[in-house]
Amino acid sequence: MLDLQALGFNSLQQPQPGVWIGKSAEMGLGEKIEVVSPIDGSAIASIQLATPAQVNQAVEAASQAFRHWRTVPAPQRGELVRRIAEQVRQHKIILAELITLEAGKIPQEALGEVQEWIDICDFAVGLSRQLYGLTIASERPDHRLMEQWLPLGPVGAITAFNFPVAVWAWNAMIGLVCGDPMVWKPSEKTPLCALACQHLVQRAIATLPDVPPEVCSVVIGKVDVGQTLASHPSLPLISATGSIPMGRAVATTVAQRLGRSLLELGGNNGMIVAPSANLELAIRAIAFAAVGTCGQRCTTLRRLIVHNSIADSLVERLQKVYRSLPIGDPNQDGVLVGPLIDSASGEKMQAALETARQQGGKIFGGDRITEGVPKGGVYVHPAIVEISPDAAIVQEETFAPILYVMRYETLEEAIAIHNNVPQGLSSAIFTENFREAEYFLSPAGSDCGIVNVNIGTSGAEIGGAFGGEKETGGGRESGSDSWKAYMRRVTNTINYGTALPLAQGIRFLDN
Ligand code: UN1
């Protein structure tokens, strides 16, 4: 067992607090659940979940904290994030080890996830001096017209098991510099990672005199906790990452009270491989995107659309790579594919493969592995399924390593197949032909939020805006100007003259 003291855990033998409001960790008054490692299915801790009443307390504390936090100059808020980054750098390895234990990621990917937190901190610190508004030419004499971006209010963040640290960090580090306290509902499958993050944040807060600890709180629970956040009128923004049904439920609740939601939901990501593609690069990119994180990224490559002239040889080469993939305990040297999160996930994968078979799919791999892997974990051979683009199953995102391979003849046909799904997160084309590449990036090309050339669909950098269209939910998080979602845009008109000219030339009481 890991020595988790550095991450704030005294003993995992005791139940863990499901509520952490600012500095104060409290037992949840809800159900007690076990936290299970997907590596071997063993119980690693138990946790007392939060009740809706406790969620309300956390929101109330965040609202109080907001009153002060919004007045702290943004570069000083950035200083908090800089100190958080110091904590994360110091604890990078142990935090990655906890991610491996709780989410089953291989160490390379777990370290990469912590690096995303560090990167978004660095980005947010710079941003804290760049929350720019426009100045606008006024049509009236002696008037100034300008925009300010002001703190929005406490933000509710709902995140999934597959990125138990980074997705919250994208939201929270940006939210903090924007002046918004954060109330986080992590996945109940990965609560220890959330408690560790809260511990590191509180350590950073304690080094500064002027930061209310309640700028960051964690409430761990199930759907009732998420719904309490979504319906809370004191949270002007709910940022939710996870499945499409979850996002639909959250967005509907938030819309009822006319709040804002920022959604980053399912992807069903596709890649076109054109005849001119560099197949060496394409195969490595496909393998990382399709089997990395055991197919459990929202950016995982799920649909490969390959030109007829190269399809047979590409599938054969991919199968060869798939046969040699080291699958098993993520802590074992050299392993590249760890476990699925739980047995329900394994069952969904088998059900999808069975449906694909019934719809004419030719299946390679996909079976459960029982030998040479830790008992109690769900280990699978990633699957390659050759199938018609008309099969209904290719419309669905199954959160497991299943790669559907379809064939095309013309680029227009490939793009039509590519765009013909309800989701629109990430996409890619492999081609050496610049006209094809540019066409894929053009308005007539991919309809996704992320469109790549000669790299895979997953593994985005934090500097770009992250998110997608259609049922992916339309939200953008992380880099670029995504910060604007976390702020209130204010338009100011200032009259420094001695007359009162009205806009649009209207004359009123001015003789
Ligand atoms: C997710 O799966 O929810 O682009 C996020 C990527 C990572 C983030 C994935 N940077 O694959």
Side-chain angles (χ1 to χ4, degrees):
M1 187 54 80
L2 299 175
D3 173 14
L4 292 173
Q5 277 192 353
L7 294 176
F9 297 97
N10 287 326
S11 157
L12 291 184
Q13 308 306 316
Q14 304 296 321
Q16 300 300 309
V19 182
W20 199 334
I21 301 176
K23 281 190 286 206
S24 135
E26 292 168 26
M27 284 302 147
L29 297 171
E31 192 190 337
K32 181 170 151 187
I33 61 162
E34 299 224 298
V35 185
V36 168
S37 172
I39 296 175
D40 58 4
S42 63
I44 45 180
S46 67
I47 190 144
Q48 293 279 154
L49 299 183
T51 58
Q54 290 177 302
V55 176
N56 290 337
Q57 283 169 13
V59 174
E60 181 51 38
S63 302
Q64 287 298 330
F66 179 59
R67 290 172 174 280
H68 178 62
W69 192 234
R70 65 187 175 184
T71 66
V72 173
Q76 287 182 33
R77 301 193 296 250
E79 175 60 17
L80 169 62
V81 172
R82 195 186 66 72
R83 292 191 190 201
I84 292 172
E86 278 175 2
Q87 292 294 330
V88 188
R89 283 187 164 90
Q90 278 166 26
H91 295 90
K92 181 174 179 182
I93 292 173
I94 180 86
L95 184 55
E97 286 171 353
L98 180 59
I99 294 174
T100 296
L101 177 69
E102 208 179 25
K105 290 191 189 194
I106 61 170
Q108 273 299 304
E109 294 196 64
L111 287 164
E113 172 157 8
V114 183
Q115 187 60 43
E116 277 200 48
W117 185 3
I118 295 169
D119 293 343
I120 197 71
C121 284
D122 291 354
F123 181 92
V125 174
L127 179 66
S128 72
R129 291 178 185 271
Q130 300 175 76
L131 301 171
Y132 301 137
L134 297 173
T135 54
I136 301 152
S138 171
E139 69 190 51
R140 287 174 274 191
D142 300 337
H143 278 57
R144 184 153 71 92
L145 190 51
M146 68 173 195
E147 272 181 358
Q148 291 190 81
W149 290 89
L150 300 181
L152 181 66
V155 173
I158 299 174
T159 62
F161 77 85
N162 66 329
F163 273 80
V165 168
V167 170
W168 160 79
W170 297 346
N171 282 281
M173 300 306 107
I174 300 289
L176 285 175
V177 299
C178 290
D180 304 339
M182 303 296 302
V183 183
W184 179 18
K185 180 215 169 296
S187 165
E188 70 273 20
K189 291 176 187 168
T190 50
L192 300 183
C193 285
L195 296 179
C197 292
Q198 176 72 358
H199 174 75
L200 295 180
V201 166
Q202 290 299 328
R203 280 178 71 154
I205 289 175
T207 65
L208 286 163
D210 197 27
V211 182
E214 297 77 17
V215 293
C216 276
S217 294
V218 178
V219 285
I220 299 164
K222 295 187 178 171
V223 178
D224 57 337
V225 166
Q227 279 298 331
T228 307
L229 289 177
S231 60
H232 206 298
S234 303
L235 298 175
L237 174 67
I238 300 290
S239 172
T241 303
S243 71
I244 290 167
M246 180 282 298
R248 213 185 289 282
V250 166
T252 309
T253 305
V254 176
Q256 282 290 334
R257 61 176 174 91
L258 302 179
R260 291 190 203 167
S261 42
L262 194 171
L263 303 174
E264 198 259 285
L265 310 176
N268 185 3
N269 314 296
M271 177 197 287
I272 295 171
V273 188
S276 64
N278 177 332
L279 289 185
E280 292 301 321
L281 297 191
I283 284 167
R284 277 178 53 208
I286 293 165
F288 176 64
V291 312
T293 328
C294 199
Q296 300 170 109
R297 288 192 189 216
C298 55
T299 49
T300 292
L301 176 63
R302 309 200 181 278
R303 298 179 302 127
L304 195 60
I305 303 154
V306 191
H307 192 265
N308 277 320
S309 63
I310 54 168
D312 286 337
S313 71
L314 179 62
V315 169
E316 201 176 300
R317 287 172 73 175
L318 262 183
Q319 290 179 347
K320 195 165 163 224
V321 172
Y322 270 47
R323 268 191 212 100
S324 68
L325 283 172
I327 304 167
D329 184 337
N331 281 317
Q332 210 172 303
D333 267 356
V335 162
L336 293 179
V337 183
L340 286 170
I341 189 71
D342 57 19
S343 54
S345 180
E347 281 152 25
K348 282 188 190 142
M349 177 174 176
Q350 293 313 318
L353 290 173
E354 184 47 40
T355 307
R357 187 175 290 117
Q358 284 164 14
Q359 293 176 0
K362 196 169 119 204
I363 295 170
F364 170 88
D367 45 314
R368 177 113 184 234
I369 305 172
T370 47
E371 300 292 314
V373 294
K375 292 214 182 325
V378 181
Y379 294 85
V380 293
H381 284 291
I384 298 173
V385 180
E386 290 181 80
I387 197 161
S388 154
D390 300 326
I393 190 73
V394 305
Q395 302 284 320
E396 285 172 35
E397 177 194 48
T398 302
F399 224 54
I402 302 176
L403 180 63
Y404 298 113
V405 181
M406 296 161 265
R407 296 168 184 239
Y408 78 91
E409 191 53 42
T410 66
L411 185 62
E412 284 70 21
E413 184 193 351
I415 291 173
I417 294 170
H418 178 273
N419 289 350
N420 184 30
V421 292
Q423 312 85 350
L425 179 58
S426 185
S427 58
I429 189 168
F430 261 83
T431 180
E432 298 288 301
N433 177 327
F434 95 98
R435 290 189 57 251
E436 287 185 333
E438 290 288 341
Y439 189 66
F440 191 61
L441 303 177
S442 82
S446 164
D447 62 3
C448 290
I450 298 171
V451 189
N452 295 334
V453 177
N454 292 336
I455 66 161
T457 52
S458 66
E461 301 175 20
I462 61 88
F466 185 92
E469 302 304 328
K470 301 191 283 185
E471 289 187 0
T472 302
R476 292 295 186 279
E477 297 171 315
S478 196
S480 184
D481 66 351
S482 308
W483 59 271
K484 291 180 174 170
Y486 303 79
M487 301 202 87
R488 175 164 65 91
R489 184 202 303 248
V490 183
T491 304
N492 306 128
T493 310
I494 300 132
N495 177 5
Y496 57 90
T498 54
L500 191 73
L502 300 180
Q504 296 89 43
I506 293 175
R507 309 202 61 175
F508 197 87
L509 278 180
D510 67 348
N511 300 319

